[in-house]
Amino acid sequence: MSLEFTLETRVGAARAGQLITPHGEIETPVFMPVGTGGTVKAVPQEVLEELGVQILLGNTYHLYLRPGVETIRRFGGLHGFMSWPRAILTDSGGFQVFSLNELRKVNEEGVTFRSHLDGSSHFFSPENSMAAQIGIGADIIMAFDECTEYPADRARTQASMELTLRWAERSKKYFDEHTREVPWKSRQPSAVSPQPNQIPRFARNDKFDESSTQSLFGIVQGGMDLDLRKESAERTVEIGFPGYAIGGLSVGEPRERTREVVEETLRYLPADKPRYLMGVGTPEEIVQYANLGVDMMDCVLPTRAARHGLLFTSEGKISIKQARYAQDSGPLDPNCDCRVCRRYSRAYLRHLYASNEVLAQVLNTIHNLSFYLDTMRRVRHSISLGEESRFLSSVWSRPKP
Amino acid sequence: MSLEFTLETRVGAARAGQLITPHGEIETPVFMPVGTGGTVKAVPQEVLEELGVQILLGNTYHLYLRPGVETIRRFGGLHGFMSWPRAILTDSGGFQVFSLNELRKVNEEGVTFRSHLDGSSHFFSPENSMAAQIGIGADIIMAFDECTEYPADRARTQASMELTLRWAERSKKYFDEHTREVPWKSRQPSAVSPQPNQIPRFARNDKFDESSTQSLFGIVQGGMDLDLRKESAERTVEIGFPGYAIGGLSVGEPRERTREVVEETLRYLPADKPRYLMGVGTPEEIVQYANLGVDMMDCVLPTRAARHGLLFTSEGKISIKQARYAQDSGPLDPNCDCRVCRRYSRAYLRHLYASNEVLAQVLNTIHNLSFYLDTMRRVRHSISLGEESRFLSSVWSRPKP
């Protein structure tokens, strides 16, 4: 056993459950902050722990380029390298490479691309995405897929979906043959001399036996075509994975379309396996998707918006750069208990942002993550109380003080 | 009473004591981190508390430009504005304006200068430096002085010293007449509506009565001329302040000269008043100056160097950008107990720096401050044990593990 998923409560399509990984337990539905290159930008790991983050997302593309898979492997995987003892999920690199546009070339074998850092040429295939993700050692890793561009006609969408299915088979085959190479326990002799207080490497959870390893999730594609989404879901399930993701959304389509595709795709995913919707969304959206029965989500929005001074609060969005906050002695969000809202005023946060201070990025990111995580906690609480219909009102329609 | 200074132990010229301010007690000798514009760059206030920071330095020039004195005053002073309940010292703005070079013009009345932010024209005099520092509300504020440039001939140095003495008289006169205007208790009615969990404003220490207020320190100038330093010290003491600073050093002169001037100047400062050496230095230097009998020091070095990847450790300086650390699993400083050294490896810190991650600035700054504060704690401990001669060896000549 390397993954255990238990559903505890259902209300309509929504579900609350528990996902047990080799590096800790995750209450679902869960929001996963994005730790692109081994760091959730501007936030120390101990603060992420304090915020209650149970699982982080790492980007294989970024980690592969810098610091490189071999370095991470030598530290017992990303858990050891970044000193994060809890669960990690990595994407396959496919979406990141897709985002490079001009710099990539796709064929049956895989994707040739140029690094955004130095223009050097690289190649990702299902096999070497798996090899990279095994070296990085996340608890959950993703099949290598092609994210279909938007818009795309039916023929193109179908061909892309078929490619993703063939790559899913190849991903699974490689993973099954190399699953024992996970670096969590490896302590290869190296040039690094032991130090008095050596950084710990975070061995696996004792909930599982010695044979526990990573889990590989499949990804459903099919563009905006509901029939192809159905086919992609069914054929991905046929290949067989311990969890399924919905990819290829949030690529420029209208939000109503996203919702429709998610709803349709979920119908064809097994109810007893975790379902991961990739790359969404706003606070309203993550509540809606949880309501539809999604168990896992990730998005750069809370962290990226924070760095641009856009803050999410129980009273709506705040652009902290605005002059109206320059004399505002109240907390950012009077209903938030995070370390930022407990201590700092809007005027101070506005001053930091206007002065281009690094601390603005730190504090803004901490608050936005806190708001997302808190939103998801409320959703789970509502589900466990059987109160599906109150998701939105409890989070967003609080009366103004 | 607004300031109480007690010497507890002396060893040779060195002294360990306690400085009690309206916002808390400070063990001396003390190193004061620089919080330029209301933030020690990249570090949240709660982490500064955890590091044991007892007093912060704020720059009047920066705070005057942004967010402006009136905004700070409305928040009950800088303590309330930045949510820092412990002691604060502000400089007079004189040194910062001095650093503007091309953008300033000095006459008897004061200094006209242009903002480095937008080129707008401003004027600082002893009177409006005092007014600004009273509005900012630090526990200790500094007389407005002219920092003599280096090199300068004797006539120029003397004229500059005389100007500083006249400005010291004017600073004291203005301060004495306006000392009741400290904003610590003011809660002016304003457009800001009260919020459920309003940010606290940090009223004064109950160790002092209601009449406690700020304290104004004088500054000794006199360039590199020992006779003029003596004269400046004696005449500044004659004006009479509760504490004295040594200014005009670290302006390009050789370090041996700095030490000589400090040593000579200290001879003419009263032993029972706190002595503050402005703008120094390296870890070695702050130990040396404490050894000479300096009680207070500040420097941007630990924070600025950190942002450039230069880290101070018990085993010497480390430039974390170097490739030699890319695989180094040891902590930054095996003898440091800060949250960075307890958790992260050199390889991880090197990765963050090489990737230009904001977290590099956060973690590097926390460690360097920890190292400086720890160095000063060891110095105080040595003095209290009567071990003057072991200052250097205990901090810097630790045997390699």
Side-chain angles (χ1 to χ4, degrees):
Chain A
M1 275 302 273
S2 299
L3 199 72
E4 218 179 277
F5 184 57
T6 321
L7 284 174
E8 284 156 6
T9 332
R10 293 169 196 240
V11 183
R15 344 108 47 93
Q18 203 187 33
L19 183 64
I20 306 181
T21 75
H23 290 88
E25 291 150 35
I26 298 155
E27 293 165 282
T28 61
V30 66
F31 178 79
M32 306 185 285
V34 179
T36 312
T39 159
V40 174
K41 288 185 187 303
V43 184
Q45 277 71 307
E46 57 272 22
V47 175
L48 298 175
E49 287 175 349
E50 174 190 294
L51 287 170
V53 173
Q54 295 177 318
I55 177 168
L56 276 187
L57 186 139
N59 289 127
T60 296
Y61 167 79
H62 290 284
L63 293 166
Y64 160 88
L65 290 178
R66 213 165 44 185
V69 173
E70 278 317 303
T71 294
I72 296 174
R73 187 203 303 278
R74 250 182 243 121
F75 282 78
L78 187 55
H79 297 92
F81 183 70
M82 68 180 285
S83 191
W84 177 252
R86 302 185 184 177
I88 299 176
L89 178 150
T90 45
D91 63 8
S92 68
F95 180 79
Q96 303 276 328
V97 168
F98 164 84
S99 311
L100 293 174
N101 293 310
E102 305 299 295
L103 302 174
R104 75 189 146 95
K105 218 176 98 182
V106 184
N107 63 24
E108 181 65 30
E109 195 47 34
V111 185
T112 305
F113 61 95
R114 289 190 180 279
S115 158
H116 73 291
L117 296 175
D118 62 5
S120 57
S121 187
H122 300 269
F123 179 69
F124 269 180
S125 67
E127 291 76 18
N128 56 21
S129 166
M130 290 306 104
Q133 290 187 78
I134 291 168
I136 293 168
D139 299 86
I140 299 172
I141 72 177
M142 303 302 299
F144 190 70
D145 63 331
E146 183 183 57
C147 179
T148 315
E149 67 281 3
Y150 176 84
D153 65 24
R154 187 178 158 103
R156 161 66 194 142
T157 305
Q158 179 155 22
S160 174
M161 177 198 82
E162 296 283 354
L163 182 65
T164 286
L165 285 164
R166 290 191 298 276
W167 284 359
E169 301 256 22
R170 284 166 56 190
S171 294
K172 190 182 179 195
K173 180 164 187 291
Y174 187 96
F175 177 72
D176 287 345
E177 290 167 3
H178 298 82
T179 180
R180 300 268 64 92
E181 293 166 15
V182 65
W184 300 335
K185 291 266 174 146
S186 76
R187 286 180 177 271
Q188 303 169 357
S190 77
V192 178
S193 57
Q195 297 277 351
N197 53 345
Q198 184 107 19
I199 307 298
R201 295 189 174 198
F202 307 114
R204 65 196 79 189
N205 198 338
D206 57 11
K207 170 116 195 162
F208 296 109
D209 64 21
E210 280 300 295
S211 69
S212 76
T213 184
Q214 303 175 279
S215 296
L216 173 65
F217 280 21
I219 304 180
V220 176
Q221 290 287 348
M224 304 303 149
D225 187 302
L226 300 189
D227 290 341
L228 291 179
R229 282 284 168 178
K230 173 174 185 289
E231 183 180 348
S232 176
E234 287 174 343
R235 288 171 60 189
T236 307
V237 170
E238 209 168 292
I239 297 170
F241 295 95
Y244 297 93
I246 303 176
L249 294 175
S250 276
V251 288
E253 78 282 7
R255 276 294 166 271
E256 193 38 55
R257 192 75 185 143
T258 318
R259 187 192 157 100
E260 204 179 342
V261 172
V262 170
E263 208 161 358
E264 179 69 8
T265 307
L266 286 171
R267 292 179 55 199
Y268 303 100
L269 294 180
D272 62 343
K273 293 282 192 291
R275 300 145 157 194
Y276 163 28
L277 177 56
M278 306 180 86
V280 295
T282 64
E284 294 94 329
E285 287 164 1
I286 65 172
V287 174
Q288 284 170 10
Y289 295 131
N291 210 348
L292 294 179
V294 169
D295 305 304
M296 304 164 71
M297 285 168 260
D298 78 282
C299 195
V300 293
L301 183 59
T303 43
R304 183 174 293 165
R307 298 197 301 278
H308 292 94
L310 188 68
L311 301 170
F312 298 100
T313 82
S314 62
E315 298 172 344
K317 277 184 285 190
I318 282 183
S319 173
I320 200 66
K321 69 185 76 172
Q322 291 176 2
R324 60 193 287 203
Y325 301 117
Q327 311 293 333
D328 190 337
S329 64
L332 183 51
D333 184 345
N335 300 305
C336 177
D337 195 42
C338 82
R339 60 159 77 197
V340 180
C341 291
R342 280 202 309 268
R343 180 155 197 163
Y344 304 102
S345 66
R346 290 175 172 182
Y348 182 64
L349 295 174
R350 195 261 175 186
H351 165 65
L352 293 178
Y353 190 84
S355 304
N356 203 22
E357 286 285 351
V358 167
L359 190 57
Q361 296 186 43
V362 177
L363 298 182
N364 290 349
T365 305
I366 291 172
H367 169 78
N368 269 2
L369 282 180
S370 174
F371 186 77
Y372 264 68
L373 293 160
D374 207 38
T375 297
M376 220 40 135
R377 265 189 292 269
R378 287 168 196 265
V379 167
R380 285 197 298 268
H381 189 64
S382 293
I383 299 174
S384 70
L385 294 177
E387 294 178 354
E388 179 194 11
S389 60
R390 289 183 54 203
F391 287 177
L392 287 164
S393 62
S394 68
V395 177
W396 288 100
S397 309
R398 180 188 312 278
K400 299 259 174 184
Chain B
M1 275 302 272
S2 299
L3 198 72
E4 217 178 279
F5 183 56
T6 319
L7 284 174
E8 284 157 5
T9 333
R10 293 169 194 241
V11 182
R15 339 111 49 90
Q18 203 188 32
L19 183 64
I20 307 182
T21 76
H23 290 86
E25 291 150 35
I26 299 155
E27 293 165 282
T28 61
V30 66
F31 179 78
M32 306 184 285
V34 179
T36 313
T39 160
V40 174
K41 289 185 187 300
V43 184
Q45 278 71 307
E46 55 274 21
V47 176
L48 298 175
E49 287 174 349
E50 175 189 294
L51 287 170
V53 173
Q54 295 176 317
I55 177 168
L56 275 189
L57 185 139
N59 289 126
T60 296
Y61 167 79
H62 289 284
L63 293 165
Y64 161 88
L65 290 179
R66 214 166 42 185
V69 174
E70 279 316 303
T71 294
I72 296 175
R73 187 203 303 280
R74 250 180 242 123
F75 281 77
L78 188 56
H79 297 92
F81 182 70
M82 69 181 286
S83 190
W84 177 253
R86 301 185 184 177
I88 299 176
L89 179 149
T90 45
D91 64 6
S92 68
F95 181 78
Q96 303 276 327
V97 169
F98 163 84
S99 310
L100 293 174
N101 292 309
E102 304 302 294
L103 301 172
R104 75 186 146 96
K105 218 176 99 183
V106 184
N107 64 25
E108 181 64 32
E109 195 47 33
V111 186
T112 306
F113 61 95
R114 290 189 178 278
S115 159
H116 73 289
L117 297 174
D118 62 5
S120 57
S121 186
H122 300 268
F123 179 69
F124 270 179
S125 66
E127 291 76 18
N128 56 21
S129 167
M130 290 305 105
Q133 290 188 79
I134 291 169
I136 293 168
D139 299 85
I140 298 173
I141 72 177
M142 303 302 298
F144 189 69
D145 62 330
E146 183 183 57
C147 179
T148 315
E149 67 282 1
Y150 176 85
D153 64 23
R154 188 179 158 102
R156 162 65 193 142
T157 305
Q158 178 154 23
S160 174
M161 177 198 83
E162 295 283 354
L163 182 66
T164 287
L165 284 165
R166 290 191 297 276
W167 284 359
E169 301 258 21
R170 283 167 58 189
S171 294
K172 190 182 178 194
K173 179 163 188 291
Y174 187 96
F175 177 72
D176 287 345
E177 290 167 2
H178 298 80
T179 180
R180 301 268 64 91
E181 293 166 16
V182 65
W184 299 335
K185 291 264 175 147
S186 77
R187 287 180 177 268
Q188 303 170 359
S190 77
V192 178
S193 56
Q195 297 277 351
N197 53 344
Q198 184 107 17
I199 307 298
R201 293 190 176 196
F202 307 114
R204 67 195 78 187
N205 197 338
D206 57 11
K207 170 117 195 163
F208 295 110
D209 64 21
E210 281 300 294
S211 68
S212 75
T213 183
Q214 302 174 280
S215 296
L216 173 66
F217 280 20
I219 303 180
V220 177
Q221 291 285 349
M224 304 304 149
D225 187 302
L226 300 187
D227 291 341
L228 291 179
R229 282 283 168 179
K230 172 174 186 287
E231 183 179 349
S232 177
E234 287 174 343
R235 289 171 60 189
T236 307
V237 170
E238 207 169 291
I239 297 170
F241 294 96
Y244 298 92
I246 304 177
L249 294 174
S250 276
V251 289
E253 79 281 7
R255 276 294 166 272
E256 194 36 57
R257 192 75 186 142
T258 318
R259 188 192 157 100
E260 204 180 341
V261 172
V262 170
E263 209 161 357
E264 179 68 9
T265 307
L266 286 170
R267 292 179 55 201
Y268 303 100
L269 294 180
D272 63 344
K273 294 281 191 292
R275 302 145 157 195
Y276 163 28
L277 177 56
M278 306 180 86
V280 294
T282 64
E284 294 94 330
E285 288 164 1
I286 65 172
V287 174
Q288 284 170 9
Y289 295 131
N291 212 347
L292 294 179
V294 169
D295 306 303
M296 305 164 70
M297 285 168 260
D298 78 281
C299 195
V300 294
L301 183 59
T303 44
R304 183 174 292 166
R307 298 197 301 278
H308 292 95
L310 188 67
L311 301 169
F312 299 100
T313 82
S314 63
E315 297 174 345
K317 277 184 283 188
I318 283 184
S319 173
I320 199 67
K321 68 185 75 172
Q322 291 176 2
R324 60 193 286 203
Y325 302 117
Q327 311 293 335
D328 190 336
S329 64
L332 183 51
D333 184 345
N335 299 305
C336 176
D337 194 42
C338 81
R339 59 159 77 198
V340 179
C341 292
R342 280 201 309 268
R343 180 155 198 163
Y344 303 102
S345 66
R346 289 174 171 182
Y348 182 64
L349 295 174
R350 195 259 175 189
H351 165 64
L352 292 179
Y353 190 84
S355 304
N356 203 22
E357 286 286 352
V358 166
L359 190 57
Q361 296 187 42
V362 176
L363 299 182
N364 290 350
T365 305
I366 291 172
H367 169 77
N368 269 1
L369 281 179
S370 174
F371 185 77
Y372 264 68
L373 293 160
D374 207 37
T375 297
M376 220 40 135
R377 266 189 291 269
R378 288 168 195 266
V379 168
R380 285 197 299 268
H381 189 64
S382 293
I383 298 173
S384 70
L385 294 177
E387 292 178 355
E388 178 194 12
S389 61
R390 289 184 54 203
F391 286 177
L392 287 164
S393 62
S394 67
V395 177
W396 289 100
S397 309
R398 183 188 312 279
K400 299 258 175 185

